[in-house]
Amino acid sequence: MASPALASEPKKKGGGEGYTQFKTINVFTAASRRRHGTMSVDMGLYSDDPKLVDQIKIFQPRLQDAYLSRLQAYAGTLNSTSVVDTDFIAMQLQSATDSILGRKGAKVLLGTILLN
């Protein structure tokens, strides 16, 4: 005889309740002999303010587009021997975030940055 299933609390997603994960952003780097490279960035936003977390979710497509534009402009200056400036990337993404959300309070958290 099977025992009854007990309801459990919903599992907390990675990064906590105030964390919003974004899809991996892939952009092209400078061409070299008809070949191009790619830069991939995993990132998310964190905020303690539940209203701002809701706003982030609403504006996620616009944020993703702004991040893609900023990263593509930066990646255009890179080649296969370049070293990625993570501080510059974080600053650019934070600037785009603050601009689109219209206020500060959401913190850009970078995960993996891969230059291939």
Side-chain angles (χ1 to χ4, degrees):
M1 184 173 204
S3 61
L6 300 175
S8 62
E9 293 182 27
K11 290 186 178 182
K12 199 173 187 183
K13 64 181 179 176
E17 293 298 321
Y19 182 73
T20 305
Q21 177 71 43
F22 281 74
K23 293 179 184 176
T24 300
I25 302 167
N26 296 300
V27 294
F28 294 110
T29 59
S32 173
R33 295 185 182 198
R34 294 192 209 187
R35 298 187 73 195
H36 66 271
T38 59
M39 182 174 73
S40 301
V41 178
D42 288 326
M43 54 89 57
L45 294 177
Y46 180 79
S47 176
D48 289 328
D49 181 357
K51 289 182 181 180
L52 189 55
V53 172
D54 291 340
Q55 188 178 3
I56 290 167
K57 290 177 183 172
I58 291 169
F59 283 98
Q60 196 165 4
R62 288 187 63 198
L63 290 163
Q64 186 88 13
D65 184 59
Y67 299 154
L68 181 66
S69 296
R70 300 257 179 131
L71 288 172
Q72 185 59 68
Y74 173 68
T77 68
L78 302 175
N79 60 41
S80 61
T81 61
S82 296
V83 177
V84 176
D85 185 349
T86 56
D87 290 333
F88 182 77
I89 290 173
M91 181 183 67
Q92 289 295 307
L93 297 180
Q94 188 66 60
S95 173
T97 300
D98 295 344
S99 176
I100 289 175
L101 296 177
R103 64 179 175 138
K104 295 182 185 251
K107 178 76 174 160
V108 170
L109 301 176
L110 293 175
T112 304
I113 300 177
L114 177 66
L115 182 61
N116 195 7

